[in-house]
Amino acid sequence: MSTCKKSITRKSLIYKTNVEYGDYTVNHVQGCFHGCQYPCYAYLMARRFGKVASYEEWIEPSIVNNALELLDKEIPKFKDKITSLHLCFTTDPFMYNYTDVCKMSVEIIKKFNANNIACSVLTKGILPDILANLSTKNVYGITLISLDESFRKDMEPNSAPYHERIESLKKLHNKGCKTWVSIEPYPTPNIFKQDFLPILKSIGFVDKIIFGRLNYNKDVTSYKQRDSFYNTLAQQTIDFCNDRNIACHIKNGTVK
Ligand code: SF4
């Protein structure tokens, strides 16, 4: 177990997004220990805008020390506008083994729920059991792009092992929580060859599955069959979900 060695102070925390999971978001950590190698878009942006100088700095996360105070000021201003609050876009709310980040994420969710705002969560860490005690309108999700641990260690080196992620999600599902999985960014076979169906089957209990292609990666661009590959897998995802009454969403730009 670990905690962030660095902290930062921010002027604001809640901001609007145009992405598909929620209309507003908070990112209460700068950087992310998981250090994904797809590459991570949040890391690329942080480096481009001078927030971090290197990958090594990115994987040494800084917690926002005034996050909870900021929310006390900002939630009353935003609460009538927010349909769903997403944690997080530019970091991971349940960063593996980072107890202070996980604890703060739970406190943040509680604050939004107390104002009748549902939260959507996505992690490559472990979803804690305590989430089952929060609002039943919340939705809890994990990212799952493989079941192969050697691939995880290459691509998402400091994240939680896949089976631990799935187990934590299943526990919440068994306690009546709404759950989802993001199968994104899914690798093409020239990056990693694997069977797709076992991945789907391992999460057949969830309420929603999202599938999306890998972007910003030169190996995908050089893979000539990429469009037909992603079209086939998107259709498999849709068929799998239809058979089991699972909601399904194919990310924009995945099918061509
Ligand atoms: S978990 Fe998300 S934010 Fe963290 S390094 Fe991976 S892709 Fe980036």
Side-chain angles (χ1 to χ4, degrees):
M1 291 295 167
S2 188
T3 54
C4 297
K5 292 183 187 65
K6 300 181 288 180
S7 72
I8 53 169
T9 303
R10 287 238 175 100
K11 291 198 175 121
S12 60
L13 206 66
I14 301 177
Y15 73 92
K16 191 154 175 50
T17 67
N18 292 320
V19 291
E20 297 152 59
Y21 309 126
D23 53 352
Y24 283 82
T25 187
V26 296
N27 296 296
H28 49 292
V29 183
Q30 180 172 286
C32 181
F33 176 62
H34 293 165
C36 301
Q37 302 279 350
Y38 318 123
C40 166
Y41 182 72
Y43 161 59
L44 294 181
M45 290 301 107
R47 210 182 53 184
R48 183 166 166 194
F49 293 107
K51 296 215 167 115
V52 297
S54 63
Y55 176 80
E56 289 67 31
E57 197 182 328
W58 172 255
I59 62 170
E60 278 272 337
S62 305
I63 197 157
V64 177
N65 51 30
N66 61 336
L68 298 176
E69 293 91 310
L70 282 173
L71 290 181
D72 287 337
K73 287 189 209 146
E74 292 181 1
I75 290 177
K77 288 189 227 162
F78 282 92
K79 68 185 217 177
D80 294 333
K81 297 181 187 152
I82 303 174
T83 309
S84 168
L85 189 285
H86 182 70
L87 289 91
C88 296
F89 283 118
T90 64
T91 188
D92 194 304
F94 291 102
M95 210 173 286
Y96 194 42
N97 286 336
Y98 272 71
T99 48
D100 54 347
V101 173
C102 299
K103 205 168 151 219
M104 188 181 271
S105 297
V106 170
E107 291 309 309
I108 288 173
I109 296 168
K110 281 184 185 169
K111 279 190 188 291
F112 281 101
N113 288 171
N115 284 275
N116 207 19
I117 299 168
C119 293
S120 138
V121 169
L122 182 62
T123 186
K124 295 180 185 75
I126 303 298
L127 292 157
D129 295 353
I130 192 175
L131 294 174
N133 303 337
L134 308 187
S135 169
T136 51
K137 291 182 183 157
N138 294 335
V139 286
Y140 303 119
I142 58 165
T143 301
L144 189 75
I145 57 168
S146 177
L147 296 172
D148 187 293
E149 279 298 301
S150 63
F151 176 69
R152 179 188 67 76
K153 284 175 191 159
D154 283 344
M155 270 293 178
E156 304 168 343
N158 303 324
S159 64
Y162 293 132
H163 75 276
E164 288 187 34
R165 286 185 218 179
I166 298 168
E167 265 171 37
S168 73
L169 191 68
K170 185 89 194 272
K171 265 198 205 171
L172 292 179
H173 164 79
N174 289 342
K175 289 183 175 174
C177 301
K178 284 185 266 182
T179 56
W180 65 294
V181 169
S182 171
I183 309 180
E184 194 220 359
Y186 195 80
T188 45
N190 60 326
I191 295 172
F192 189 66
K193 204 166 166 44
Q194 60 182 349
D195 289 336
F196 187 55
L197 202 53
I199 300 173
L200 287 173
K201 283 185 175 165
S202 74
I203 48 159
F205 60 90
V206 300
D207 299 291
K208 183 172 183 178
I209 295 176
I210 289 182
F211 176 74
R213 66 164 60 203
L214 170 58
N215 294 305
Y216 318 109
N217 183 304
K218 60 179 174 14
D219 291 328
V220 175
T221 324
S222 68
Y223 185 66
K224 287 199 172 56
Q225 306 94 314
R226 63 185 178 277
D227 288 349
S228 64
F229 173 73
Y230 283 123
N231 290 349
T232 303
L233 266 55
Q235 191 55 52
Q236 274 182 32
T237 309
I238 293 166
D239 293 344
F240 180 86
C241 289
N242 284 344
D243 285 350
R244 289 162 180 78
N245 218 10
I246 297 170
C248 182
H249 177 74
I250 306 300
K251 286 279 302 259
N252 294 341
T254 297
V255 171
K256 293 196 176 163

